Amino acid sequence: MKIIVVCSGGLDSVSLAHKIAAEHELLGLISFDYGQRHRKELDFAGACARRLGVFHQIIDMRSIGRELSGSALTDDVDVPDGHYAEETMRITVVPNRNAIMLSVAFGVAAARQAEAVAIAVHGGDHFIYPDCRPGFIDAFQTMQDHALDGYASVRLLAPYVDGSKADIVADGARHGTPFAETWSCYKGGERHCGRCGTCVERREAFHLAGVEDPTDYEDPDFWKTATEGFRATEIR
């Protein structure tokens, strides 16, 4: 199957790219610049594409991102520290982000005659991000079937949607993903902060998967306090 992967440059999407390259025909990676403060992640997506020998296309959505205001990822709002599924992390939601990006990705896939678009949403995203849930994935596929009817047939692949980030780490290890060559931290500093929700989730995932974490964190032990006794209720 000829597949395009939506790749931010983060651990999840880079692991997915390596999985697709091993199991299918990876055509290329598509990334989005929506004005995120951690734009440096796009450099890691580019490095992944070069490593796998495929094209990397960055879609400039900065003008759109400016209209999706109120998120700590795009506005001058502090990124909160703590567990990734705490209520405070809702400030990292960029409204309708995945729906917008996937619509563009499906257009690119149809134009390039790809058979599928793959995205690395996972079960840990369900609590905070509504456009990462199974219901959204199913509904988006139905919408695209109508949108491309008679022109192209493109599937939406979300192999991790019912799994955890630890599952992704385990899968990435099986496919030789160079985890040190991925970027997760929402603060976009020189090093992973180790305190924001996505850093905590990343560190916890390696621990649960039993895989050594090569990431350089400013605060490598904060995740223990942030995750102690905390369990998020999954929303599907």
Side-chain angles (χ1 to χ4, degrees), residues 97-178:
R97 177 178 61 175
N98 281 351
I100 296 169
M101 292 179 179
L102 283 173
S103 291
V104 175
F106 264 69
V108 172
R112 288 181 175 266
Q113 298 182 318
E115 297 169 87
V117 169
I119 187 171
V121 297
H122 63 86
D125 293 328
H126 297 176
F127 183 74
I128 296 297
Y129 306 111
D131 56 0
C132 292
R133 299 171 188 162
F136 167 79
I137 297 298
D138 294 340
F140 190 88
Q141 181 69 70
T142 298
M143 184 268 288
Q144 284 297 315
D145 289 343
H146 288 287
L148 295 174
D149 185 35
Y151 178 74
S153 178
V154 181
R155 290 178 56 195
L156 177 55
L157 303 181
Y160 302 135
V161 70
D162 291 314
S164 67
K165 198 178 189 78
D167 293 331
I168 296 177
V169 170
D171 196 50
R174 281 193 295 272
H175 292 105
T177 303

Side-chain angles (χ1 to χ4, degrees), residues 35-187:
Q36 62 268 47
R37 67 170 66 192
H38 56 299
R39 189 187 183 281
K40 64 183 296 179
E41 66 179 355
L42 300 178
D43 295 334
F44 290 85
C48 179
R50 290 190 295 273
R51 189 167 56 245
L52 296 175
V54 297
F55 77 80
H56 180 222
Q57 185 172 359
I58 298 178
I59 304 297
D60 188 348
M61 287 178 39
R62 285 174 293 179
S63 61
I64 296 174
R66 284 194 292 270
E67 302 304 319
L68 308 178
S69 59
S71 173
L73 302 193
T74 55
D75 288 7
D76 188 18
V77 178
D78 289 339
V79 175
D81 294 340
H83 194 282
Y84 55 89
E86 290 183 32
E87 281 292 326
T88 53
M89 297 302 162
R90 292 189 183 277
I91 195 65
T92 65
V93 172
V94 178
N96 221 31
R97 177 178 61 175
N98 281 351
I100 296 169
M101 292 179 179
L102 283 173
S103 291
V104 175
F106 264 69
V108 172
R112 288 181 175 266
Q113 298 182 318
E115 297 169 87
V117 169
I119 187 171
V121 297
H122 63 86
D125 293 328
H126 297 176
F127 183 74
I128 296 297
Y129 306 111
D131 56 0
C132 292
R133 299 171 188 162
F136 167 79
I137 297 298
D138 294 340
F140 190 88
Q141 181 69 70
T142 298
M143 184 268 288
Q144 284 297 315
D145 289 343
H146 288 287
L148 295 174
D149 185 35
Y151 178 74
S153 178
V154 181
R155 290 178 56 195
L156 177 55
L157 303 181
Y160 302 135
V161 70
D162 291 314
S164 67
K165 198 178 189 78
D167 293 331
I168 296 177
V169 170
D171 196 50
R174 281 193 295 272
H175 292 105
T177 303
F179 296 118
E181 299 302 316
T182 66
W183 183 266
S184 296
C185 185
Y186 281 160
K187 296 184 180 181

